[in-house]
Amino acid sequence: MVKRWPRIWHCLVLPALLLVLTGVVLGFYYETNDDLAIIQLLRGNTAAAPVTNLHLYFHGLAWVLAGLFRLLPAVPWYGVLLYTLLYAATALTFAVLDKLVRHRVAPELVTVLLVLFYSMAWVEHAMWFNYMRVPLLLAGAGLLYAAQRPEQFSARVIGMVAFGLSWLIRPSAADLALLLVVPGVLWLAGRRAMPLLGVAVAWALIGGLAAGLLRGNEASTFRTLDVLKSNVNDYQLYRPIPRTPSDSLGVQEVEQWLLGDSVLINEAFFARAYVPDARHFTQEVLPQKLLLTAGQLALNYFPLLLLILVLQIWVATSARMAGRGRFWLVQVAFLGLLLVLGSMLKLPSRLALPVLNLWLLTNLVFLLRDSRRPVNHEILSLLLVLLLAAAPYGYKLWHRHTTLEAEQLRGRRALALFRRQTYPAPVVVTDAVNAAYKSQNPLRVHTIGSVYLKTCLNLTGWPTLDPSQPRLRQRLTGTRDFTESLRVLARRRAAVKWYLTPATARLLNQHLAWRQQKGQPRLSLRTRQPVSGNNDLPRLYIPVFE
């Protein structure tokens, strides 16, 4: 037990203490509003009933989470599940690092190295949380852990469970993690890694095929439109060239994330109103994206980049190190991947840091996998780099903490104002809650309204494409049609309140005018509160028929 205690401390106790300390000192915050949008679907606040199938992610887990929310709604089950899995990813990563260095330096120095690694390269995952981080980290760490212990059946089981859970949360993230750790897995286990990699690849292929075959028409349309709107809004791969007035309206609505009307926003619209423009992309979009990516990496992740550079120098100056050619090929591959993600897609923090983590772990595996090779001085050089980066990175973390704390407070005030303004209507039509979700605490329960508010019809954001939204409109109004459902809700003056930002209200008025049918009274949204040109704060609107 005495000999095992350092491993228990490093692999199980220390990760838990560091995660708790992060919450106490820096706090926990959502990086985006995606997580809370998912939670509101699972709870049934923005759907006709609790959503048990999110179609694109949380396969099977959505059913479990929705059931837990029904059973004990006061518990933040979503945050509890994902932070538990983040702890598992942290523990597995620490186990990999501990085994790489435990026979080279004293246990006390291993503790220092792990604490500095967490502080410089990992703390953001806990502090600035997003569900996308968890499958990337858990799948990568689980596969490296299993490859490092190829003779242990329990390690292989842990690795495959970690990859399987990650795939259920976000298949594309788990697949990317698998791709990133293949070199490290092979360097750790050699040919013995083939069964592990074979099972993971089989899981990814069979799971992807099964998900595609079992996906119904609604879910397939959701997936297609989700990709198309991402190509436009997130990746800027297409240039809008509207051909008709309705196309111009659709382009405005896509820019505003008002995606709910399938009569206007559909596959044919995207094919007609957006075209690939290689010249525009390479001359206007690509340079900006590359500059943004380079700046983000240098400003936010300079400790990791310094560590990766030190390891590369270490390899370059070691004349007798075997396999250096493969090492440099891996470096080129990681760098190329970052450039592709940053230029063709996008590289937000929730993706950039996990990729850098797995790059760093892969390099450490290459250099430290042979426990017979003395590298004590090199490990001390890594410790020195971490110590030098501690002060500037610590300042950056504290600045982010103060910024997120202020943003969280603004969001809570915005939600409180939303509740006061919309009381006591049981149904609210709004676009004003998405912005307030950002930077909220994942381990708190966040409800859109108090007990009076039964349903929120959210007009903007990717959830408006979810198949649950037409069913919600059907339950509320008797029709799935987006525009007609708004007209029905507008007649229920006492039971429905409209809490909108002026920009969305103006766009909705254009939309209602476009869908105006002969013989119908004209519907428009008006507010009694003054709207200045620079004031886009949400306010109550009144539907008026003329």
Side-chain angles (χ1 to χ4, degrees), residues 423 426 447 449-454:
Y423 180 82
T447 55
S450 56
V451 292
Y452 75 90
L453 179 56
K454 303 303 181 183

Side-chain angles (χ1 to χ4, degrees), residues 5 30 55 57 62 76 141 266 268-269 273 326 351 353 356 381 460 541 544:
W5 169 245
Y30 281 123
H55 302 290
Y57 24 74
N266 49 51
F269 157 75
R326 291 188 292 273
L351 179 59
L353 184 55
L356 290 174
S381 69
T460 57
Y541 280 78
V544 176

Side-chain angles (χ1 to χ4, degrees), residues 312-527:
Q312 291 171 344
I313 294 173
W314 182 357
V315 172
T317 56
S318 300
R320 296 184 178 181
M321 186 173 294
R324 288 199 300 173
R326 291 188 292 273
F327 174 83
W328 291 114
L329 285 175
V330 169
Q331 305 311 295
V332 172
F334 269 101
L335 182 60
L337 177 67
L338 286 173
L339 290 175
V340 169
L341 290 174
S343 60
M344 299 305 296
L345 303 179
K346 66 176 181 177
L347 195 64
S349 297
R350 56 190 174 275
L351 179 59
L353 184 55
V355 171
L356 290 174
N357 289 149
L358 295 178
W359 187 359
L360 176 62
L361 288 172
T362 298
N363 287 2
L364 287 171
V365 163
F366 177 80
L367 292 163
L368 301 175
R369 67 191 189 280
D370 186 356
S371 59
R372 298 167 297 178
R373 188 172 178 273
V375 290
N376 297 40
H377 295 296
E378 287 84 350
I379 292 178
L380 292 176
S381 69
L382 295 178
L383 178 61
L384 179 61
V385 171
L386 289 168
L387 288 171
L388 289 174
Y393 193 70
Y395 171 79
K396 179 170 183 56
L397 279 178
W398 190 254
H399 179 266
R400 177 171 287 171
H401 155 72
T402 56
T403 301
L404 294 175
E405 192 77 14
E407 195 171 54
Q408 183 183 97
L409 181 59
R410 288 196 299 271
R412 290 167 63 182
R413 288 174 175 170
L415 289 172
L417 180 62
F418 168 82
R419 296 184 188 105
R420 289 197 301 270
Q421 293 273 9
T422 59
Y423 180 82
V427 177
V428 176
V429 181
T430 186
D431 71 318
V433 292
N434 288 340
Y437 286 163
K438 191 173 180 292
S439 298
Q440 296 307 307
N441 190 332
L443 295 180
R444 288 182 181 173
V445 175
H446 303 278
T447 55
I448 295 177
S450 56
V451 292
Y452 75 90
L453 179 56
K454 303 303 181 183
T455 303
C456 180
L457 180 60
N458 203 356
L459 296 179
T460 57
W462 63 263
T464 56
L465 293 172
D466 190 272
S468 64
Q469 299 309 291
R471 290 193 284 272
L472 172 61
R473 296 194 291 268
Q474 177 74 38
R475 184 177 71 81
L476 291 176
T477 67
T479 177
R480 292 190 168 209
D481 183 86
F482 176 80
T483 307
E484 185 59 31
S485 67
L486 296 183
R487 296 180 66 86
V488 172
L489 291 171
R491 297 187 182 97
R492 301 174 183 173
R493 297 286 291 274
V496 181
K497 289 200 174 182
W498 302 67
Y499 191 66
L500 306 167
T501 61
T504 296
R506 287 192 294 269
L507 192 54
L508 270 181
N509 281 333
Q510 294 180 47
H511 183 98
L512 291 167
W514 170 69
R515 289 290 305 273
Q516 177 73 29
Q517 297 181 11
K518 291 182 179 181
Q520 282 185 330
R522 183 174 180 269
L523 170 63
S524 61
L525 302 171
R526 300 178 184 178
T527 181

Side-chain angles (χ1 to χ4, degrees), residues 5 7-19 87 91 94:
W5 169 245
R7 277 177 283 169
I8 295 173
W9 162 253
H10 291 147
C11 305
L12 297 177
V13 179
L14 186 59
L17 289 177
L18 290 172
L19 287 171
Y87 164 73
F94 277 30

Side-chain angles (χ1 to χ4, degrees), residues 113-411:
L113 282 167
L114 291 175
V115 170
L116 286 172
F117 170 83
Y118 179 90
S119 302
M120 300 294 106
W122 202 270
V123 65
E124 181 184 281
H125 299 312
M127 174 188 175
W128 210 22
F129 187 77
N130 180 271
Y131 78 96
M132 185 74 170
R133 297 176 184 265
V134 172
L136 273 164
L137 298 171
L138 184 60
L143 292 172
L144 288 173
Y145 176 86
Q148 195 179 37
R149 298 158 176 81
E151 71 285 349
Q152 296 181 14
F153 176 75
S154 60
R156 295 196 297 273
V157 171
I158 290 173
M160 291 318 306
V161 169
F163 180 80
L165 283 172
S166 301
W167 195 93
L168 293 176
I169 294 172
R170 184 75 176 187
S172 59
D175 295 343
L176 176 59
L178 172 60
L179 176 67
L180 293 174
V181 299
V182 164
V185 168
L186 292 175
W187 284 333
L188 283 169
R191 293 182 178 178
R192 292 182 294 178
M194 293 305 173
L196 177 68
L197 292 175
V199 172
V201 171
W203 180 296
L205 292 176
I206 296 173
L209 180 63
L213 292 175
L214 296 175
R215 193 178 292 128
N217 292 333
E218 282 187 335
S220 296
T221 301
F222 172 33
R223 178 182 176 84
T224 300
L225 293 178
D226 184 70
V227 171
L228 291 172
K229 63 82 182 163
S230 295
N231 289 341
V232 172
N233 283 351
D234 296 328
Y235 309 146
Q236 301 171 330
L237 296 179
Y238 297 94
R239 188 178 182 183
I241 304 182
R243 304 176 188 277
T244 65
S246 63
D247 286 350
S248 298
L249 177 62
V251 167
Q252 292 181 66
E253 295 194 8
V254 169
E255 291 176 352
Q256 194 75 13
W257 292 81
L258 194 85
L259 308 170
D261 192 347
S262 59
V263 175
L264 181 62
I265 308 298
N266 49 51
E267 294 180 53
F269 157 75
F270 279 102
R272 186 176 60 250
Y274 295 92
V275 297
D277 188 336
R279 183 177 180 181
H280 172 75
F281 182 81
T282 55
Q283 293 183 359
E284 301 293 334
V285 177
L286 184 60
Q288 295 179 10
K289 293 178 75 172
L290 288 175
L291 187 63
L292 180 64
T293 298
Q296 173 200 3
L297 293 175
L299 182 64
N300 295 334
Y301 305 119
F302 58 89
L304 274 90
L305 295 176
L306 282 174
L307 285 174
I308 291 170
L309 179 60
V310 168
L311 295 176
Q312 291 171 344
I313 294 173
W314 182 357
V315 172
T317 56
S318 300
R320 296 184 178 181
M321 186 173 294
R324 288 199 300 173
R326 291 188 292 273
F327 174 83
W328 291 114
L329 285 175
V330 169
Q331 305 311 295
V332 172
F334 269 101
L335 182 60
L337 177 67
L338 286 173
L339 290 175
V340 169
L341 290 174
S343 60
M344 299 305 296
L345 303 179
K346 66 176 181 177
L347 195 64
S349 297
R350 56 190 174 275
L351 179 59
L353 184 55
V355 171
L356 290 174
N357 289 149
L358 295 178
W359 187 359
L360 176 62
L361 288 172
T362 298
N363 287 2
L364 287 171
V365 163
F366 177 80
L367 292 163
L368 301 175
R369 67 191 189 280
D370 186 356
S371 59
R372 298 167 297 178
R373 188 172 178 273
V375 290
N376 297 40
H377 295 296
E378 287 84 350
I379 292 178
L380 292 176
S381 69
L382 295 178
L383 178 61
L384 179 61
V385 171
L386 289 168
L387 288 171
L388 289 174
Y393 193 70
Y395 171 79
K396 179 170 183 56
L397 279 178
W398 190 254
H399 179 266
R400 177 171 287 171
H401 155 72
T402 56
T403 301
L404 294 175
E405 192 77 14
E407 195 171 54
Q408 183 183 97
L409 181 59
R410 288 196 299 271

